[in-house]
Amino acid sequence: MRTYRWSLDLQLFSQEKTERATPKKRSDARKKGQVAKSQELPGAFIMLFAFLSFLMLGGFYKERLLGLFSFIYENKLDQQITGENVIALFSDLLVQGLIVLLPVFAIALIVAILGNYVQFGFLLTGDPLKIKLSKLNPINGFKQIFSMRSLVQFVKNILKLALIGVLVYSTLMNERDYIMQLSSLPVSAIFTYTSGVTVKLGLQIGAVLVVLAVLDYIYQRYEHEKSLKMSKQDIKDEYKKSEGDPLIKGKIRERQRRMALQRMMQEVPKADVVITNPTHFAVALQYDSAKMEAPTVIAKGMDHVALRIREVAKEHGVMTMENKPLARALYDRAELGDTIPADLFQAVAEVLAYVYKLKNHVE
């Protein structure tokens, strides 16, 4: 019973999402459009920079607005009301209005692009636009309404409204004495004062929204990292899918080793001599003066592989020579298909000379 509980606890622990997401998990989530982003960050910066443009380009806006009204009162009031004149009037008003709004539109577009790029870089995906029936599930919708994310969003909206309300109230209360005197001022002074207070409020509200948006972005990054977390079992499953099952890969490697060993054993009968340790190492050498500059290692192995090389050599009449230091040096310093190291030429030449002498004597 204790063993069963222990295994059950171990299984549950392996399913807990405690591990950081792997690069593949992050890449897959990004392809689906799942990135850490705050929807409010671009909007807050757009508002802040729009009011900054009012402050910096006030002369431009004033000139264009005055020109628009003067254009109407000076040039259009005395015209006859005809279809052609009305179309021309509205065309002129549309062009002048677009010129006035062009800086705001440009700022909104640039800030929106940069605001998203800074958060998650360049991302172009159509996955969020796909129709998914799971989104129509009322149970999932109910869970989202009463989730922790919805609660945080509600608290955040209440906090924004409260801060904006406090800013507007404190600003208007500070200006209340001057506001009471507006009725006695000329229209130009009223317009100048009102626009100044509006820009001031806009900058303050924009700055507050930017601060809240940055905090929201930090929270969204935390939630995103939390949603990407994986369990140990998830990591194992991902590794199996991407790299293959370790058991299967082990079997493939074992089969490859057997095939390589088989090919190597097929080369042993071609050897001129097999130098042994005598039990731990065996190195088979071949030398053809017409084709080779130096003797070549065509097979080598240790322990059971060395034993198999000696057996194959014996079966095919290949001479075996015992030379412990030479066998160890050749095994350590020469790979299959390599020529022997230059400093071992003398020792190998003596062995080959002895082998050739024995062969000639036998013949």
Side-chain angles (χ1 to χ4, degrees):
M1 186 65 178
R2 289 183 179 179
T3 304
Y4 173 75
R5 285 185 177 179
W6 181 82
S7 62
L8 183 61
D9 292 341
L10 184 62
Q11 183 178 3
L12 292 175
F13 176 76
S14 66
Q15 295 296 330
E16 292 182 0
K17 297 185 180 298
T18 57
E19 307 300 316
R20 289 177 59 86
T22 60
K24 184 179 184 304
K25 178 69 176 291
R26 295 180 185 276
S27 176
D28 292 343
R30 183 177 178 83
K31 291 177 181 178
K32 296 178 182 179
Q34 299 173 2
V35 292
K37 62 180 178 179
S38 172
Q39 300 288 355
E40 300 178 2
L41 196 62
F45 275 107
I46 287 173
M47 182 175 182
L48 179 62
F49 282 102
F51 277 98
L52 280 174
S53 72
F54 294 151
L55 184 64
M56 299 173 63
L57 303 176
F60 169 81
Y61 290 118
K62 179 181 178 182
E63 179 183 349
R64 285 293 174 178
L65 289 174
L66 291 177
L68 179 62
F69 285 105
S70 63
F71 171 76
I72 295 174
Y73 289 121
E74 293 177 2
N75 301 322
K76 298 297 182 179
L77 289 181
D78 57 348
Q79 289 185 346
Q80 294 182 354
I81 301 177
T82 62
E84 184 179 351
N85 290 337
V86 170
I87 293 175
L89 173 62
F90 279 98
S91 297
D92 292 335
L93 291 177
L94 179 61
V95 172
Q96 295 297 326
L98 289 176
I99 293 175
V100 172
L101 296 176
L102 182 61
V104 178
F105 288 159
I107 289 173
L109 179 62
I110 294 172
V111 172
I113 294 174
L114 290 178
N116 286 301
Y117 181 80
V118 169
Q119 291 186 83
F120 50 83
F122 179 77
L123 178 62
L124 185 62
T125 177
D127 191 86
L129 301 178
K130 292 181 180 178
I131 298 176
K132 297 179 181 178
L133 297 179
S134 59
K135 295 182 179 179
L136 302 178
N137 190 336
I139 298 178
N140 291 338
F142 184 81
K143 290 180 179 179
Q144 291 179 0
I145 292 175
F146 294 95
S147 64
M148 179 60 67
R149 182 183 292 271
S150 299
L151 178 61
V152 172
Q153 187 70 21
F154 175 75
V155 172
K156 183 175 59 179
N157 291 334
I158 294 297
L159 179 61
K160 284 196 298 185
L161 289 175
L163 290 175
I164 292 173
V166 170
L167 278 176
V168 173
Y169 176 79
S170 61
T171 301
L172 294 180
M173 289 302 293
N174 291 335
E175 301 288 339
R176 66 181 182 276
D177 294 336
Y178 197 86
I179 293 175
M180 298 300 295
Q181 302 174 11
L182 289 179
S183 58
S184 60
L185 297 177
V187 176
S188 60
I190 295 175
F191 180 79
T192 301
Y193 173 76
T194 304
S195 60
V197 173
T198 303
V199 171
K200 178 182 178 182
L201 270 175
L203 291 174
Q204 291 178 345
I205 294 173
V208 170
L209 292 180
V210 166
V211 173
L212 293 178
V214 170
L215 295 177
D216 179 63
Y217 174 67
I218 295 173
Y219 171 75
Q220 296 298 335
R221 282 188 64 89
Y222 166 77
E223 283 292 318
H224 180 66
E225 290 294 327
K226 184 179 177 181
S227 67
L228 290 180
K229 280 190 174 181
M230 306 171 67
S231 64
K232 296 182 182 298
Q233 187 62 41
D234 292 337
I235 296 177
K236 292 179 180 178
D237 293 341
E238 180 187 287
Y239 178 79
K240 288 181 180 180
K241 290 179 181 179
S242 59
E243 301 294 335
D245 193 326
L247 294 177
I248 297 177
K249 291 182 67 177
K251 291 180 180 179
I252 292 175
R253 286 195 295 267
E254 179 62 27
R255 185 173 182 181
Q256 291 173 342
R257 283 195 294 266
R258 288 200 302 268
M259 294 175 65
L261 180 61
Q262 185 177 1
R263 288 194 299 268
M264 186 175 68
M265 292 304 171
Q266 293 174 354
E267 297 293 320
V268 174
K270 303 176 184 179
D272 293 306
V273 65
V274 174
I275 302 175
T276 65
N277 193 22
T279 56
H280 294 294
F281 299 97
V283 180
L285 300 178
Q286 182 186 23
Y287 179 59
D288 186 348
S289 59
K291 300 179 181 179
M292 302 177 183
E293 296 180 357
T296 302
V297 176
I298 60 173
K300 73 172 188 174
M302 62 183 297
D303 297 333
H304 69 279
V305 178
L307 177 61
R308 181 60 182 156
I309 291 174
R310 292 198 301 272
E311 291 176 351
V312 174
K314 184 178 180 181
E315 292 173 2
H316 293 82
V318 178
M319 189 169 293
T320 302
M321 296 288 296
E322 179 181 337
N323 190 324
K324 296 181 180 180
L326 182 57
R328 181 60 183 266
L330 289 171
Y331 181 86
D332 290 338
R333 298 171 56 189
E335 299 297 330
L336 289 177
D338 292 347
T339 58
I340 62 173
D343 57 330
L344 299 179
F345 280 0
Q346 181 65 32
V348 173
E350 292 177 358
V351 171
L352 289 175
Y354 180 74
V355 169
Y356 294 152
K357 182 178 180 181
L358 288 179
K359 285 184 177 181
N360 294 331
H361 179 71
V362 172
E363 293 176 357

Coordinates of all heavy atoms in Angstrom, one line a residue, residues 94-164:
L94 N -13.0 68.2 -46.1 CA -12.4 66.9 -45.8 C -10.9 67.0 -45.9 O -10.2 66.4 -45.1 CB -13.0 65.9 -46.8 CG -12.4 64.5 -46.7 CD1 -12.8 63.9 -45.3 CD2 -13.0 63.6 -47.8
V95 N -10.4 67.7 -46.9 CA -8.9 67.8 -47.1 C -8.3 68.5 -46.0 O -7.3 68.1 -45.4 CB -8.6 68.4 -48.5 CG1 -7.1 68.7 -48.6 CG2 -9.1 67.6 -49.6
Q96 N -8.9 69.7 -45.6 CA -8.3 70.5 -44.5 C -8.4 69.7 -43.2 O -7.5 69.8 -42.4 CB -9.1 71.8 -44.4 CG -9.0 72.7 -45.6 CD -7.5 73.2 -45.7 OE1 -6.8 73.3 -44.8 NE2 -7.1 73.3 -47.0
G97 N -9.5 68.9 -43.0 CA -9.6 68.1 -41.7 C -8.6 67.0 -41.7 O -8.0 66.8 -40.6
L98 N -8.3 66.4 -42.8 CA -7.3 65.3 -42.8 C -5.9 65.9 -42.6 O -5.1 65.3 -41.9 CB -7.3 64.6 -44.2 CG -8.5 63.7 -44.4 CD1 -8.5 63.2 -45.9 CD2 -8.6 62.6 -43.4
I99 N -5.6 67.1 -43.1 CA -4.3 67.7 -42.8 C -4.2 68.0 -41.4 O -3.1 67.8 -40.8 CB -4.2 69.0 -43.7 CG1 -4.1 68.7 -45.2 CG2 -3.0 69.8 -43.3 CD1 -4.1 69.9 -46.1
V100 N -5.3 68.5 -40.7 CA -5.2 68.8 -39.3 C -5.0 67.5 -38.5 O -4.2 67.5 -37.5 CB -6.5 69.5 -38.8 CG1 -6.5 69.6 -37.3 CG2 -6.6 70.8 -39.4
L101 N -5.7 66.4 -38.9 CA -5.6 65.2 -38.1 C -4.4 64.3 -38.5 O -4.1 63.3 -37.8 CB -6.8 64.3 -38.3 CG -8.1 65.0 -37.8 CD1 -9.3 64.1 -38.1 CD2 -8.0 65.2 -36.3
L102 N -3.7 64.6 -39.6 CA -2.6 63.8 -40.1 C -1.5 63.6 -39.0 O -1.0 62.4 -38.9 CB -2.0 64.4 -41.3 CG -0.8 63.7 -42.0 CD1 -1.4 62.3 -42.4 CD2 -0.3 64.4 -43.2
P103 N -1.0 64.6 -38.3 CA 0.0 64.3 -37.3 C -0.5 63.3 -36.2 O 0.3 62.5 -35.8 CB 0.3 65.7 -36.7 CG -0.1 66.7 -37.7 CD -1.3 66.0 -38.4
V104 N -1.8 63.4 -35.8 CA -2.3 62.5 -34.8 C -2.3 61.1 -35.3 O -1.9 60.1 -34.7 CB -3.7 63.0 -34.3 CG1 -4.2 62.0 -33.3 CG2 -3.6 64.4 -33.7
F105 N -2.8 60.9 -36.6 CA -2.9 59.6 -37.2 C -1.5 59.0 -37.4 O -1.3 57.8 -37.1 CB -3.5 59.7 -38.6 CG -5.0 60.0 -38.5 CD1 -5.7 60.5 -39.6 CD2 -5.7 59.7 -37.4 CE1 -7.1 60.7 -39.6 CE2 -7.1 59.9 -37.3 CZ -7.8 60.4 -38.4
A106 N -0.5 59.8 -37.8 CA 0.9 59.4 -37.9 C 1.5 58.9 -36.6 O 2.1 57.8 -36.5 CB 1.7 60.4 -38.6
I107 N 1.2 59.7 -35.6 CA 1.7 59.4 -34.2 C 1.1 58.1 -33.8 O 1.8 57.2 -33.2 CB 1.5 60.5 -33.3 CG1 2.4 61.7 -33.6 CG2 1.7 60.0 -31.8 CD1 2.1 62.9 -32.8
A108 N -0.2 57.9 -33.9 CA -0.9 56.7 -33.5 C -0.4 55.5 -34.2 O -0.2 54.5 -33.6 CB -2.4 56.9 -33.7
L109 N -0.2 55.6 -35.5 CA 0.3 54.4 -36.3 C 1.7 54.0 -35.9 O 2.0 52.9 -35.6 CB 0.2 54.8 -37.8 CG 0.7 53.7 -38.7 CD1 -0.2 52.4 -38.6 CD2 0.7 54.2 -40.2
I110 N 2.6 55.0 -35.8 CA 4.0 54.7 -35.4 C 4.1 54.2 -34.0 O 4.8 53.1 -33.8 CB 4.8 56.0 -35.6 CG1 4.9 56.4 -37.1 CG2 6.3 55.7 -35.1 CD1 5.6 57.7 -37.3
V111 N 3.4 54.8 -33.1 CA 3.5 54.4 -31.7 C 2.8 53.0 -31.5 O 3.4 52.1 -30.8 CB 2.8 55.4 -30.8 CG1 2.7 54.8 -29.3 CG2 3.6 56.7 -30.8
A112 N 1.7 52.7 -32.2 CA 1.1 51.4 -32.1 C 2.0 50.3 -32.7 O 2.2 49.2 -32.0 CB -0.2 51.4 -32.9
I113 N 2.7 50.5 -33.8 CA 3.6 49.5 -34.3 C 4.8 49.3 -33.4 O 5.2 48.2 -33.1 CB 4.1 50.0 -35.7 CG1 3.0 50.0 -36.7 CG2 5.2 49.1 -36.2 CD1 3.3 50.5 -38.1
L114 N 5.4 50.4 -32.9 CA 6.6 50.3 -32.0 C 6.2 49.7 -30.7 O 7.0 48.9 -30.1 CB 7.2 51.7 -31.8 CG 7.9 52.3 -33.0 CD1 8.5 53.7 -32.7 CD2 9.1 51.4 -33.5
G115 N 5.0 50.1 -30.2 CA 4.6 49.5 -28.9 C 4.4 48.0 -28.9 O 4.8 47.3 -28.0
N116 N 3.9 47.5 -30.0 CA 3.8 46.0 -30.1 C 5.1 45.4 -30.4 O 5.5 44.3 -29.9 CB 2.8 45.7 -31.2 CG 1.4 45.9 -30.8 OD1 0.9 45.3 -29.8 ND2 0.6 46.7 -31.5
Y117 N 6.0 46.0 -31.3 CA 7.3 45.5 -31.6 C 8.2 45.4 -30.4 O 8.9 44.4 -30.2 CB 7.9 46.3 -32.7 CG 9.3 45.8 -33.1 CD1 9.4 44.7 -34.0 CD2 10.5 46.3 -32.6 CE1 10.6 44.2 -34.4 CE2 11.7 45.8 -33.0 CZ 11.8 44.8 -33.9 OH 13.0 44.3 -34.3
V118 N 8.1 46.4 -29.5 CA 9.0 46.4 -28.3 C 8.6 45.2 -27.4 O 9.4 44.6 -26.7 CB 8.9 47.7 -27.6 CG1 9.5 47.6 -26.2 CG2 9.6 48.8 -28.4
Q119 N 7.3 44.9 -27.4 CA 6.8 43.9 -26.5 C 7.2 42.5 -26.9 O 7.7 41.7 -26.1 CB 5.3 44.0 -26.3 CG 4.8 45.2 -25.6 CD 3.3 45.2 -25.4 OE1 2.8 44.5 -24.4 NE2 2.5 45.8 -26.3
F120 N 6.9 42.2 -28.2 CA 7.2 40.8 -28.7 C 7.9 40.7 -30.0 O 7.9 39.6 -30.6 CB 5.9 40.0 -28.7 CG 4.7 40.7 -29.4 CD1 4.6 40.6 -30.8 CD2 3.8 41.4 -28.7 CE1 3.6 41.2 -31.5 CE2 2.8 42.0 -29.4 CZ 2.7 41.9 -30.8
G121 N 8.4 41.8 -30.5 CA 9.1 41.7 -31.8 C 8.2 41.6 -33.0 O 7.0 41.8 -32.9
F122 N 8.7 41.2 -34.1 CA 7.9 41.1 -35.3 C 7.2 39.7 -35.3 O 7.9 38.7 -35.2 CB 8.8 41.2 -36.6 CG 8.1 41.0 -37.9 CD1 7.3 42.1 -38.4 CD2 8.1 39.8 -38.6 CE1 6.6 41.9 -39.5 CE2 7.4 39.7 -39.8 CZ 6.6 40.7 -40.2
L123 N 5.9 39.8 -35.5 CA 5.2 38.5 -35.4 C 4.0 38.6 -36.4 O 3.2 39.6 -36.4 CB 4.6 38.3 -34.0 CG 3.7 37.0 -33.9 CD1 4.5 35.8 -34.2 CD2 3.2 37.0 -32.5
L124 N 4.0 37.7 -37.4 CA 2.9 37.7 -38.4 C 2.3 36.2 -38.4 O 3.0 35.3 -38.8 CB 3.5 38.0 -39.7 CG 2.4 38.1 -40.9 CD1 1.4 39.3 -40.5 CD2 3.1 38.4 -42.2
T125 N 1.1 36.1 -37.8 CA 0.5 34.8 -37.8 C -1.0 34.9 -37.9 O -1.6 35.9 -37.4 CB 0.8 34.1 -36.4 OG1 0.1 32.8 -36.4 CG2 0.4 34.9 -35.2
G126 N -1.6 34.0 -38.5 CA -3.1 34.0 -38.7 C -3.8 33.0 -37.8 O -5.0 32.9 -37.9
D127 N -3.1 32.4 -36.9 CA -3.7 31.4 -36.1 C -4.8 31.9 -35.2 O -5.8 31.3 -35.0 CB -2.6 30.7 -35.2 CG -3.1 29.4 -34.5 OD1 -3.1 28.4 -35.1 OD2 -3.5 29.6 -33.3
P128 N -4.6 33.1 -34.5 CA -5.7 33.6 -33.7 C -7.0 33.9 -34.5 O -8.0 34.1 -33.9 CB -5.1 34.9 -33.1 CG -3.6 34.7 -33.2 CD -3.4 33.9 -34.4
L129 N -6.9 34.1 -35.8 CA -8.1 34.4 -36.6 C -8.8 33.1 -37.0 O -9.9 33.3 -37.6 CB -7.6 35.2 -37.9 CG -6.9 36.5 -37.6 CD1 -6.5 37.1 -39.0 CD2 -7.8 37.4 -36.8
K130 N -8.3 32.0 -36.8 CA -9.0 30.7 -37.1 C -10.2 30.5 -36.3 O -10.2 30.9 -35.1 CB -8.0 29.5 -37.0 CG -6.9 29.5 -37.9 CD -6.0 28.3 -37.7 CE -4.8 28.3 -38.7 NZ -3.9 27.1 -38.4
I131 N -11.2 30.0 -36.9 CA -12.5 29.7 -36.2 C -12.3 28.4 -35.4 O -12.0 27.3 -35.9 CB -13.6 29.5 -37.2 CG1 -13.9 30.8 -38.0 CG2 -14.9 29.1 -36.5 CD1 -14.9 30.7 -39.0
K132 N -12.4 28.5 -34.1 CA -12.3 27.4 -33.2 C -13.6 27.2 -32.4 O -14.0 28.1 -31.7 CB -11.1 27.6 -32.2 CG -9.8 27.7 -33.0 CD -8.6 27.9 -32.0 CE -7.3 28.1 -32.7 NZ -6.2 28.3 -31.8
L133 N -14.2 26.0 -32.5 CA -15.5 25.8 -31.9 C -15.3 25.8 -30.3 O -16.3 26.0 -29.6 CB -16.0 24.5 -32.4 CG -16.4 24.4 -33.9 CD1 -16.9 23.0 -34.2 CD2 -17.4 25.5 -34.2
S134 N -14.1 25.5 -29.9 CA -13.9 25.4 -28.4 C -14.1 26.8 -27.8 O -14.4 26.9 -26.6 CB -12.4 25.0 -28.1 OG -11.5 25.8 -28.8
K135 N -14.0 27.9 -28.6 CA -14.2 29.2 -28.1 C -15.7 29.5 -27.8 O -16.0 30.4 -27.0 CB -13.7 30.3 -29.0 CG -12.2 30.2 -29.2 CD -11.7 31.3 -30.2 CE -10.2 31.3 -30.3 NZ -9.7 32.4 -31.2
L136 N -16.5 28.7 -28.4 CA -18.0 28.8 -28.2 C -18.5 28.0 -27.0 O -19.7 28.0 -26.7 CB -18.7 28.4 -29.4 CG -18.4 29.2 -30.7 CD1 -19.1 28.6 -31.9 CD2 -18.6 30.7 -30.6
N137 N -17.6 27.3 -26.3 CA -18.0 26.5 -25.2 C -18.4 27.3 -24.0 O -17.6 28.1 -23.5 CB -16.8 25.6 -24.8 CG -17.2 24.5 -23.8 OD1 -18.2 24.7 -23.0 ND2 -16.4 23.4 -23.7
P138 N -19.7 27.3 -23.6 CA -20.2 28.2 -22.5 C -19.5 27.9 -21.2 O -19.3 28.8 -20.4 CB -21.7 27.9 -22.5 CG -21.8 26.5 -23.1 CD -20.8 26.4 -24.1
I139 N -19.1 26.6 -21.0 CA -18.4 26.3 -19.7 C -17.1 27.0 -19.6 O -16.7 27.7 -18.6 CB -18.2 24.8 -19.6 CG1 -19.6 24.1 -19.5 CG2 -17.4 24.5 -18.3 CD1 -19.5 22.6 -19.5
N140 N -16.3 27.0 -20.7 CA -15.0 27.7 -20.8 C -15.2 29.2 -20.6 O -14.4 29.9 -20.0 CB -14.3 27.4 -22.1 CG -13.8 25.9 -22.1 OD1 -13.7 25.3 -21.1 ND2 -13.6 25.4 -23.3
G141 N -16.3 29.7 -21.3 CA -16.6 31.1 -21.2 C -16.9 31.5 -19.8 O -16.5 32.6 -19.3
F142 N -17.7 30.7 -19.1 CA -18.0 30.9 -17.7 C -16.8 31.0 -16.8 O -16.6 31.8 -15.9 CB -19.0 29.9 -17.2 CG -19.5 30.1 -15.8 CD1 -20.5 31.0 -15.6 CD2 -19.0 29.4 -14.7 CE1 -21.0 31.2 -14.3 CE2 -19.4 29.6 -13.5 CZ -20.4 30.5 -13.2
K143 N -15.9 30.0 -17.1 CA -14.6 29.9 -16.3 C -13.8 31.2 -16.5 O -13.1 31.7 -15.6 CB -13.8 28.7 -16.7 CG -14.5 27.4 -16.2 CD -13.6 26.2 -16.6 CE -14.2 24.9 -16.2 NZ -13.4 23.7 -16.6
Q144 N -13.7 31.7 -17.8 CA -12.9 32.9 -18.1 C -13.5 34.1 -17.4 O -12.8 35.0 -16.9 CB -12.8 33.1 -19.6 CG -12.0 32.0 -20.3 CD -12.0 32.2 -21.8 OE1 -12.6 33.2 -22.3 NE2 -11.3 31.4 -22.5
I145 N -14.8 34.2 -17.3 CA -15.5 35.3 -16.7 C -15.1 35.4 -15.2 O -14.8 36.5 -14.7 CB -17.0 35.3 -16.8 CG1 -17.4 35.5 -18.3 CG2 -17.7 36.3 -16.0 CD1 -18.8 35.3 -18.6
F146 N -15.0 34.3 -14.5 CA -14.8 34.3 -13.1 C -13.4 33.8 -12.8 O -13.1 33.2 -11.7 CB -15.8 33.4 -12.4 CG -17.2 33.9 -12.4 CD1 -18.1 33.5 -13.4 CD2 -17.6 34.9 -11.6 CE1 -19.4 34.0 -13.5 CE2 -18.9 35.4 -11.6 CZ -19.8 34.9 -12.6
S147 N -12.4 34.0 -13.7 CA -11.1 33.6 -13.5 C -10.3 34.7 -12.8 O -10.7 35.8 -12.7 CB -10.4 33.2 -14.9 OG -10.3 34.4 -15.7
M148 N -9.1 34.3 -12.4 CA -8.2 35.3 -11.7 C -7.8 36.4 -12.7 O -7.7 37.6 -12.3 CB -6.9 34.6 -11.2 CG -5.9 35.5 -10.5 SD -6.7 36.3 -9.0 CE -6.9 34.9 -7.9
R149 N -7.6 36.1 -13.9 CA -7.3 37.1 -14.9 C -8.4 38.1 -15.0 O -8.1 39.3 -15.1 CB -7.0 36.4 -16.3 CG -6.6 37.4 -17.4 CD -6.4 36.7 -18.7 NE -5.3 35.8 -18.6 CZ -4.0 36.2 -19.0 NH1 -3.8 37.4 -19.4 NH2 -3.0 35.3 -18.9
S150 N -9.6 37.7 -15.1 CA -10.8 38.6 -15.1 C -10.8 39.5 -13.9 O -11.2 40.7 -14.0 CB -12.1 37.8 -15.3 OG -12.0 37.1 -16.5
L151 N -10.6 38.9 -12.8 CA -10.6 39.7 -11.5 C -9.5 40.8 -11.5 O -9.8 41.9 -11.2 CB -10.4 38.7 -10.3 CG -10.3 39.4 -8.9 CD1 -11.6 40.1 -8.7 CD2 -10.0 38.4 -7.9
V152 N -8.3 40.4 -12.0 CA -7.2 41.4 -12.1 C -7.6 42.5 -13.1 O -7.3 43.7 -12.8 CB -5.9 40.7 -12.5 CG1 -4.8 41.7 -12.8 CG2 -5.4 39.7 -11.4
Q153 N -8.2 42.1 -14.2 CA -8.6 43.1 -15.2 C -9.7 44.0 -14.6 O -9.6 45.3 -14.8 CB -9.2 42.4 -16.4 CG -9.5 43.3 -17.6 CD -8.3 43.8 -18.3 OE1 -7.2 43.2 -18.1 NE2 -8.4 44.9 -19.0
F154 N -10.6 43.5 -13.8 CA -11.6 44.4 -13.2 C -11.0 45.3 -12.2 O -11.3 46.5 -12.2 CB -12.6 43.5 -12.5 CG -13.7 44.2 -11.7 CD1 -14.7 44.8 -12.4 CD2 -13.6 44.3 -10.3 CE1 -15.7 45.5 -11.7 CE2 -14.6 45.0 -9.6 CZ -15.6 45.6 -10.3
V155 N -10.1 44.8 -11.4 CA -9.5 45.7 -10.4 C -8.6 46.8 -11.1 O -8.6 47.9 -10.7 CB -8.6 44.8 -9.4 CG1 -7.7 45.7 -8.5 CG2 -9.4 43.9 -8.6
K156 N -8.0 46.4 -12.2 CA -7.1 47.3 -12.9 C -8.0 48.4 -13.5 O -7.6 49.6 -13.5 CB -6.4 46.6 -14.0 CG -5.4 47.4 -14.8 CD -4.7 46.5 -15.8 CE -5.6 45.8 -16.7 NZ -4.9 44.9 -17.7
N157 N -9.2 48.1 -14.1 CA -10.0 49.1 -14.7 C -10.6 50.1 -13.6 O -10.7 51.3 -13.8 CB -11.2 48.4 -15.4 CG -10.7 47.7 -16.7 OD1 -9.7 48.1 -17.2 ND2 -11.4 46.7 -17.1
I158 N -10.9 49.5 -12.4 CA -11.4 50.3 -11.3 C -10.3 51.3 -10.9 O -10.6 52.5 -10.6 CB -11.9 49.5 -10.2 CG1 -13.1 48.7 -10.6 CG2 -12.2 50.3 -8.9 CD1 -14.4 49.5 -10.9
L159 N -9.1 50.8 -10.8 CA -8.0 51.6 -10.4 C -7.7 52.7 -11.4 O -7.5 53.9 -11.0 CB -6.7 50.7 -10.2 CG -5.4 51.5 -9.8 CD1 -5.6 52.1 -8.5 CD2 -4.3 50.5 -9.8
K160 N -7.8 52.4 -12.7 CA -7.6 53.5 -13.7 C -8.7 54.5 -13.6 O -8.4 55.7 -13.6 CB -7.7 52.8 -15.1 CG -6.4 52.1 -15.5 CD -6.3 51.8 -17.0 CE -7.5 51.0 -17.4 NZ -7.4 50.7 -18.9
L161 N -9.9 54.1 -13.5 CA -11.0 55.1 -13.3 C -10.8 56.0 -12.1 O -11.1 57.2 -12.1 CB -12.4 54.4 -13.3 CG -12.8 53.7 -14.6 CD1 -14.1 53.0 -14.4 CD2 -13.1 54.8 -15.7
A162 N -10.4 55.3 -11.0 CA -10.2 56.1 -9.8 C -9.1 57.1 -9.9 O -9.3 58.3 -9.5 CB -9.9 55.1 -8.6
L163 N -8.0 56.7 -10.5 CA -6.8 57.6 -10.6 C -7.2 58.8 -11.6 O -6.8 59.9 -11.3 CB -5.6 56.8 -11.1 CG -5.0 55.9 -10.1 CD1 -3.8 55.1 -10.8 CD2 -4.4 56.6 -8.9
I164 N -7.9 58.4 -12.7 CA -8.2 59.5 -13.6 C -9.2 60.5 -13.0 O -9.1 61.7 -13.2 CB -8.8 58.9 -14.9 CG1 -7.7 58.1 -15.7 CG2 -9.4 59.9 -15.8 CD1 -8.2 57.3 -16.9

